[in-house]
Amino acid sequence: MTATALERLKELLGEPACWGWARPRLWEAAEGHLGVPLPAGYKAFLDLYGPGAFDGFLHMDRPVDGTAAELERLWPTSGPKSHLDDPDRYPFPFHPQPGGLIEWGGEEDGAVYYFLPEEPDPADWRMVVETDEGEWQEAPGPVTEFLLNLAGRPHRPGPAHRYRQTPTP
């Protein structure tokens, strides 16, 4: 049997230090807020590892209390309409517009990672990265495969791959 991308990530990153809890009601609240289901692999990764940073540069977050304020902080419903004003700079709509980008991660240098929810099945959504230079790059999903591809690139010097959890308040 072939290992799933999540299983291969777990082999690469090791056991999570202390997270490992799933709270379906939090994801249900998030999806209710967004009005679309989120990819199962994304939820499973964050249920296993929690909020934190992949390889110390790609920060990922997830709901921890499910309040309206937290969900709005993670996924604002008053998304930018920049693509209407400057389609050359912003070639994609932003959520909550239909098919609009949904942010799922970011880097300290300003790069932002999005889901492109054009496919009916969230597992088929492509990833879109807005670089810190304002360039747009697309990559196939699912997010766990995307993370494996990032791990396979010599993109950052330093120790072996790891995921550091963000302390929760």
Side-chain angles (χ1 to χ4, degrees):
M1 180 177 204
T2 305
T4 67
L6 183 59
E7 292 166 337
R8 294 191 325 258
L9 278 168
K10 192 174 174 184
E11 289 172 10
L12 183 70
L13 300 172
E15 289 290 325
C18 65
W19 194 264
W21 54 272
R23 298 292 189 268
R25 72 168 184 79
L26 296 175
W27 290 118
E28 290 167 8
E31 292 169 337
H33 175 78
L34 288 165
V36 295
L38 290 165
Y42 166 73
K43 296 184 293 187
F45 179 84
L46 286 170
D47 280 347
L48 182 61
Y49 285 97
F54 182 78
D55 265 2
F57 77 97
L58 171 52
H59 299 273
M60 300 171 68
D61 211 346
R62 61 154 288 154
V64 294
D65 62 26
T67 63
E70 177 191 53
L71 297 173
E72 186 64 21
R73 177 184 58 80
L74 293 172
W75 298 289
T77 55
S78 59
K81 307 221 181 335
S82 307
H83 71 286
L84 298 173
D85 299 329
D86 191 355
D88 292 330
R89 171 72 180 95
Y90 301 98
F92 300 94
F94 290 89
H95 186 78
Q97 295 182 22
L101 298 175
I102 299 171
E103 185 175 336
W104 64 266
E107 298 181 25
E108 288 181 11
D109 68 4
V112 183
Y113 293 71
Y114 301 96
F115 292 119
L116 181 59
E118 291 182 330
E119 303 299 326
D121 184 348
D124 296 331
W125 290 354
R126 292 190 316 273
M127 307 297 113
V128 173
V129 179
E130 179 186 13
T131 69
D132 57 327
E133 292 93 24
E135 297 173 358
W136 296 87
Q137 302 169 353
E138 287 187 54
V143 71
T144 49
E145 288 287 343
F146 181 82
L147 292 173
L148 277 172
N149 288 336
L150 281 180
R153 291 189 211 151
H155 59 284
R156 301 279 191 233
H161 299 290
R162 65 182 68 176
Y163 189 82
R164 295 194 185 236
Q165 296 170 342
T166 304
T168 55

